[in-house]
Amino acid sequence: MITDGITDGPQPKHAQLREILERRVAGELKPGDPLPGERALEEEFGVSRITVRRAIGDLVAAGKLTRVRGKGTFVAPPPLVGGIHLASLSDEMRGHEVEASARVLEAAVEPAPPAAAAFFGTAGPHIHLRRLRLGGGEPYGVDDAWYNAALAPGLLERDLEHSVYRVLEEAYGVVVAQAEQTVAALAACPEEAELLLVEPGAPLLQVVRLASTAGTAGTAGTASATPAAPVEYCTSLYRTDRYRLRGRVSREAG
């Protein structure tokens, strides 16, 4: 039954259909619900396949819908908005009432690549952990991380399906307190696309994090200063429809 009409007015038909579908997503459907197939939408609204595909494509680009290869189009979960403060992805998901988990893809103790070795001050061997990060069972990102083996011996023998930061703190007394992050955009390669259930070439958000302990400052008459210790060198790739970064900036006077 047609509840909304498509007219021949000044607004393009694909834009009219996009607004109708967006209202349905907001009012009638919930995250994970499937959208009717393209043929069903063509018949319901009396429009062409091109019009349907363009309307759906606009909503996918806006993060309202998500395509799953071989299955169809579904209502997307609300994007997880991370801040520029230092927090694990598990903690950020918990703050948004999303169930966080991870699937281990690779786990080994081996020589670190040059960038990680330079950060740790030694090529290692160090702890290599690659995980698929899930929210509510759905893929959000892939973490390819290296951990300082001197600080967390036996890390790979522990439960790593949730927050590694929590394991570091509770099992080793290692508290990640500061980090330098670099953010970039890149296109998903076939392997990443398969893991994240996106099309090859889809845009991904890349975050490279170099995380350390805080260290301590020495004062007269007390123990000497303790330098910050490098803990983690991690490259994360996130689906742009499910994870975003938001921060506040200000302009310095003068």
Side-chain angles (χ1 to χ4, degrees):
M1 186 177 87
I2 298 178
T3 56
D4 295 280
I6 302 290
T7 69
D8 292 323
Q11 186 180 29
K13 290 184 178 181
H14 75 272
Q16 296 180 55
L17 180 57
R18 182 185 66 231
E19 291 179 356
I20 292 169
L21 295 179
E22 190 167 9
R23 288 196 296 271
R24 289 190 178 182
V25 167
E28 301 174 20
L29 303 174
K30 62 182 184 298
D33 283 349
L35 196 70
E38 292 180 355
R39 183 180 298 275
L41 292 173
E42 289 177 55
E43 294 176 354
E44 178 178 358
F45 295 103
V47 295
S48 68
R49 179 69 59 92
I50 293 175
T51 296
V52 170
R53 287 182 174 175
R54 185 166 179 184
I56 291 175
D58 287 349
L59 292 175
V60 170
K64 304 290 185 180
L65 298 175
T66 182
R67 289 192 178 103
V68 179
R69 286 180 294 173
K71 294 184 179 180
T73 305
F74 300 83
V75 179
L80 180 66
V81 180
I84 58 174
H85 59 280
L86 182 57
S88 70
L89 183 62
S90 296
D91 289 339
E92 289 181 335
M93 286 187 180
R94 191 174 300 109
H96 287 77
E97 298 183 347
V98 176
E99 181 183 358
S101 61
R103 176 157 59 90
V104 175
L105 304 173
E106 297 179 43
V109 177
E110 56 192 4
F119 178 56
F120 294 141
T122 169
H126 290 290
I127 299 162
H128 184 204
L129 179 63
R130 187 165 176 259
R131 300 184 301 163
L132 177 65
R133 306 303 302 274
L134 305 167
E138 297 295 327
Y140 274 66
V142 176
D143 286 349
D144 192 351
W146 291 84
Y147 295 94
N148 191 336
L151 300 179
L155 177 64
L156 296 184
E157 300 172 8
R158 300 184 180 273
D159 178 10
L160 302 175
E161 295 184 354
H162 297 88
S163 173
V164 174
Y165 282 8
R166 182 163 296 180
V167 173
L168 289 171
E169 184 171 350
E170 294 179 353
Y172 300 97
V174 174
V175 179
V176 174
Q178 57 187 354
E180 175 185 317
Q181 291 191 153
T182 303
V183 181
L186 50 73
C189 72
E191 181 190 4
E192 295 156 356
E194 184 175 0
L195 287 170
L196 296 174
L197 302 181
V198 298
E199 295 294 331
L204 299 178
L205 181 69
Q206 181 194 63
V207 180
V208 180
R209 174 183 286 185
L210 285 65
S212 307
T213 61
T216 60
T219 58
T222 64
S224 60
T226 301
V231 177
E232 175 195 51
Y233 185 99
C234 181
T235 300
S236 300
L237 296 175
Y238 297 110
R239 285 181 51 152
T240 56
D241 61 336
R242 293 186 176 171
Y243 186 78
R244 300 172 185 173
L245 285 172
R246 180 172 60 196
R248 182 182 299 275
V249 298
S250 60
R251 184 177 182 183
E252 293 183 1

